[in-house]
Amino acid sequence: MSDYNFAYLDEQTKRMIRRAILKGLAVPGYQVPFASREMPMPYGWGTGGVQVSAAVMVPEDRFKVIDQGADDTTNAVSIRKFFERTAGVETTEETAQASVIQTRHRIPETPLNEDQILVYQVPIPEPLRFLEPRETETRKMHSLEEYGLMHVKLYEDISQHGAIATSYAYPVKVEGRYVMDPSPIPKFDNPKLSGCPAIQLFGAGREQRIYALPPYTRVASLDFEDYPFDPSKADHPCDLCGAEDSYLDEVITDDAGGRMFACSDTDYCRARREAGHAGPRATAQHEEAGA
Amino acid sequence: MQTEALEGGFADAPLEAARAFRAAMGAMARPGRIETLDGATPPAPLSPAAGALILTLCDPDTPVHLAGAHDVPAVRDWIAFHTGAPAAGAEAAEFAVGDWGALQPLDRYRIGTAEYPDRSTTLIVEMTRLETSGALLRGPGIRDSAWLSLPGVDAFRRNAALFPLGRDFFFTCGDKVAALPRSTQVEDG
């Protein structure tokens, strides 16, 4: 720990990021440019989230990292160890115990509280990027509140597929002003963005953007009156804990078409199983684990 | 330069700046909430909270405007030594510090541009009292409504009408800080 400045980054970099975070909170949903640094991990591994976490972290924090809901994947484990080593913070896998949660592509199932900060890793912060590749143009479109193109895209989804086919990174409008990319969370998680008691910060390292949602910000998923937003999920309970209300991963179990559904949020699933809940295949899993 | 300019900074800059930023961010994310911001002992008339904000947020990249009674050699030297931030006029400032009266008129400060609304001035307003009563606040960061002893209402209402452009405010009193971003709607309490 003594070999690093607190939380790895130098102080001037942290000040620059902190100023960007404050402006992001003042203009919810607007993407603030920042001078993203090289980090000791490749772009795409959460360098934006890591820089935001480093700028907000205090030694008293308890830090949690999830990758697609899981605490135990390579990306989550390495980022957790990174901050254990460079900031000396405690880490946890329990959502309710964490004060700062860095996430890749999920919002925890356990409701967040006012004392928590949720830091999203964002690959492409610009929701209009796949419709308009030029940054100069998308910036102008945001300044003019010109979001017709996005509605055309959603309309074309309906005309081709009969429903809005976007299932993750589903665009949202923040406080009736900026259209924002909520990062590639499943649209199932979109309703949790709105009115959230925690501070939500978004960091895109490669694209050099930071944006934010203060607590209790109104966030609406884009839709049409006759095609309202539908936060769908697999029509199945969790095979391990039996939860009906959580987002599920479909797991292929053999080469003969076998499959199971399990909570993507590993902490939520574990806590439910420890509390005595069981899904249809809970026992089989235990036997497999014991064998 | 007096040697007192060399003192009163953070004793352990990385840790104290991290804690100070969490307080400042908590204030900006939740307009109307009063947070404690200590660790700095700047020369008068700069309050400890305003001093901590400057130590946490200012550096050679951020021109600072000192308004009225705050524009004295002791404060200028202290900021120059601890942060390296250049002094600036109101029009060029990224941060401006002073009493509410001395900071007027507000239209001198940058409000950002339509494409870059973040390029606006943050004002640090030194207050003689800071309480959760007075003007009624609504908007992002506030569940239903909040109250804060603002030095006025009309100026902040006009500022909010500029959204997404506008200036953002910190209010400091002793070691207490509160904030009012441009996104907050302000009414008479």
Side-chain angles (χ1 to χ4, degrees), chain A residues 128-155:
Chain A
L128 305 167
R129 182 60 69 233
F130 292 108
L131 306 171
E132 169 52 66
R134 289 167 296 182
E135 170 69 12
T136 48
E137 286 301 305
T138 53
R139 197 156 274 282
K140 200 173 287 172
M141 289 159 80
H142 281 294
S143 75
L144 297 172
E145 217 174 332
E146 175 50 71
Y147 296 126
L149 203 54
M150 183 60 88
H151 280 101
V152 170
K153 191 255 175 196
L154 297 177
Y155 168 75

Side-chain angles (χ1 to χ4, degrees), chain A residues 257-273:
Chain A
R259 62 172 69 172
M260 64 181 282
F261 289 91
C263 290
S264 123
D265 185 333
T266 53
D267 171 58
Y268 183 75
C269 197
R270 181 189 50 74
R272 278 181 54 88
R273 275 177 283 148

Side-chain angles (χ1 to χ4, degrees), chain A residues 5-6 11-12 14-16 18-19 21-23 25-28 30-33 55-61 99-100 113-117 135-136 139-140 142-143 175 177-178 197-199 201 214-217, chain B residues 13-15 17-22 24-26 28-30 33 54-62 83 94-95 114-122 139-143 163-164 166-168 170 181-183:
Chain A
N5 189 35
F6 174 71
E11 288 306 294
Q12 189 157 352
K14 281 192 271 183
R15 279 192 293 270
M16 174 269 297
R18 286 166 178 162
R19 292 193 294 262
I21 291 172
L22 291 179
K23 288 299 176 192
L25 287 165
V27 191
Y30 164 72
Q31 302 163 47
V32 186
V56 303
M57 193 173 279
V58 296
E60 296 77 23
D61 270 325
S99 53
V100 177
N113 64 49
E114 288 209 344
D115 299 322
Q116 292 177 313
I117 299 169
E135 170 69 12
T136 48
R139 197 156 274 282
K140 200 173 287 172
H142 281 294
S143 75
E175 289 282 335
R177 178 58 181 84
Y178 283 100
I199 297 174
L201 304 174
Y216 308 114
T217 300
Chain B
L15 299 188
R19 295 190 183 104
F21 175 71
R22 273 292 268 279
M25 181 174 78
M28 188 61 84
R30 297 184 169 85
R33 174 182 288 207
I54 288 169
L55 293 179
T56 306
L57 299 173
C58 298
D59 57 30
D61 292 338
T62 58
T83 72
E94 189 140 334
F95 289 88
E115 296 185 1
Y116 293 95
D118 55 303
R119 296 179 183 173
S120 65
T121 307
T122 303
I142 303 165
R143 182 163 28 190
F163 188 89
R167 308 153 192 104
D168 307 306
F170 281 109
R182 63 193 88 172
S183 58

Side-chain angles (χ1 to χ4, degrees), chain A residues 70-145:
Chain A
D71 290 274
D72 52 4
T73 64
T74 310
N75 199 186
V77 171
S78 67
I79 292 173
R80 208 158 52 223
K81 282 193 173 158
F82 176 77
F83 281 112
E84 278 175 4
R85 181 154 171 204
T86 62
V89 291
E90 302 259 322
T91 55
T92 182
E93 294 192 2
E94 288 179 49
T95 302
Q97 299 294 321
S99 53
V100 177
I101 304 172
Q102 182 173 328
T103 175
R104 174 175 175 272
H105 308 181
R106 270 318 304 280
I107 299 175
E109 306 288 355
T110 309
L112 302 177
N113 64 49
E114 288 209 344
D115 299 322
Q116 292 177 313
I117 299 169
L118 187 59
V119 179
Y120 295 77
Q121 303 173 195
V122 182
I124 309 285
E126 177 51 71
L128 305 167
R129 182 60 69 233
F130 292 108
L131 306 171
E132 169 52 66
R134 289 167 296 182
E135 170 69 12
T136 48
E137 286 301 305
T138 53
R139 197 156 274 282
K140 200 173 287 172
M141 289 159 80
H142 281 294
S143 75
L144 297 172
E145 217 174 332

Side-chain angles (χ1 to χ4, degrees), chain A residues 146-254:
Chain A
E146 175 50 71
Y147 296 126
L149 203 54
M150 183 60 88
H151 280 101
V152 170
K153 191 255 175 196
L154 297 177
Y155 168 75
E156 286 182 347
D157 263 13
I158 294 170
S159 64
Q160 284 180 19
H161 308 289
I164 296 175
T166 307
S167 58
Y168 65 93
Y170 191 103
V172 296
K173 199 165 202 183
V174 180
E175 289 282 335
R177 178 58 181 84
Y178 283 100
V179 165
M180 185 189 96
D181 181 330
S183 88
I185 58 173
K187 67 177 177 177
F188 173 81
D189 280 341
N190 272 27
K192 298 182 209 160
L193 293 162
S194 190
C196 177
I199 297 174
Q200 300 177 81
L201 304 174
F202 299 77
R206 180 182 48 214
E207 303 289 322
Q208 314 205 327
R209 296 289 184 273
I210 285 172
Y211 49 105
L213 295 174
Y216 308 114
T217 300
R218 285 178 294 132
V219 180
S221 303
L222 297 182
D223 62 359
F224 298 98
E225 272 175 28
D226 49 346
Y227 283 88
F229 173 73
D230 171 30
S232 65
K233 67 179 271 284
D235 185 17
H236 204 276
C238 171
D239 276 322
L240 299 180
C241 76
E244 305 266 2
D245 57 352
S246 72
Y247 189 75
L248 302 174
D249 286 337
E250 185 179 358
V251 185
I252 307 295
T253 52
D254 54 35

